[in-house]
Amino acid sequence: MSACQSQGSSCSTPSMSAPPVMPVLPEGVDPIVVTDAVVGKVAEMLAEEGDPSLQLRVFVTGGGCSGFQYGFAFDDEKKADDVRVEKGPVTVVVDAMSLQYLMGAEIDFEDKLDGARFVIRNPNAASTCGCGSSFAV
């Protein structure tokens, strides 16, 4: 059973359309918004890891029941096409390919009764799956 079916949502196969056009942002405006909740949680997780070179990589891959899915990983690699957003002690990186789908998105961390998770509020998503981890453009 897929994640969407287990959440009681229907999933559909998306039509593969062109990625969104990346807007030009004014100087000093971050391409993604990282909330204080993310900074707190990631700083806590990085302290447990004990490796100051780690950064939070946010990426988009093909898959999920809506066509694309979000991914999160700690990474110490610095790629030439990475866009970095630094907030306090935390650096969030997004590769150029993923950024075209995440431009203007807010990355948040929620800790609720039903569990804790990173959440992306993405203005580029035309639709999302009921589980919230996949989207279509």
Side-chain angles (χ1 to χ4, degrees):
M1 181 181 325
S2 75
C4 291
Q5 291 167 331
S6 69
Q7 295 288 326
S9 302
S10 63
C11 299
S12 60
T13 304
S15 61
M16 297 302 284
S17 59
V21 176
M22 289 184 17
V24 176
L25 296 173
E27 186 70 29
V29 174
D30 289 328
I32 57 173
V33 175
V34 178
T35 67
D36 291 339
V38 169
V39 172
K41 184 60 178 178
V42 171
E44 175 186 313
M45 294 168 75
L46 290 174
E48 290 175 10
E49 289 292 323
D51 184 351
S53 68
L54 291 177
Q55 53 203 350
L56 179 65
R57 181 168 298 281
V58 180
F59 55 93
V60 172
T61 60
C65 50
S66 292
F68 297 98
Q69 59 190 4
Y70 302 114
F72 300 89
F74 284 126
D75 192 356
D76 60 359
E77 185 178 351
K78 294 180 173 136
K79 299 177 184 173
D81 70 343
D82 281 345
V83 171
R84 289 173 173 64
V85 175
E86 295 182 15
K87 188 165 181 182
V90 172
T91 300
V92 176
V93 293
V94 180
D95 64 90
M97 182 62 81
S98 295
L99 184 62
Q100 63 187 333
Y101 298 103
L102 292 170
M103 183 68 75
E106 178 186 71
I107 302 169
D108 196 8
F109 180 77
E110 295 179 345
D111 192 356
K112 297 181 175 182
L113 290 174
D114 61 347
R117 65 185 181 139
F118 289 100
V119 176
I120 296 183
R121 294 180 190 92
N122 188 347
N124 303 304
S127 64
T128 60
C129 185
C131 58
S133 64
S134 68
F135 68 101
V137 290

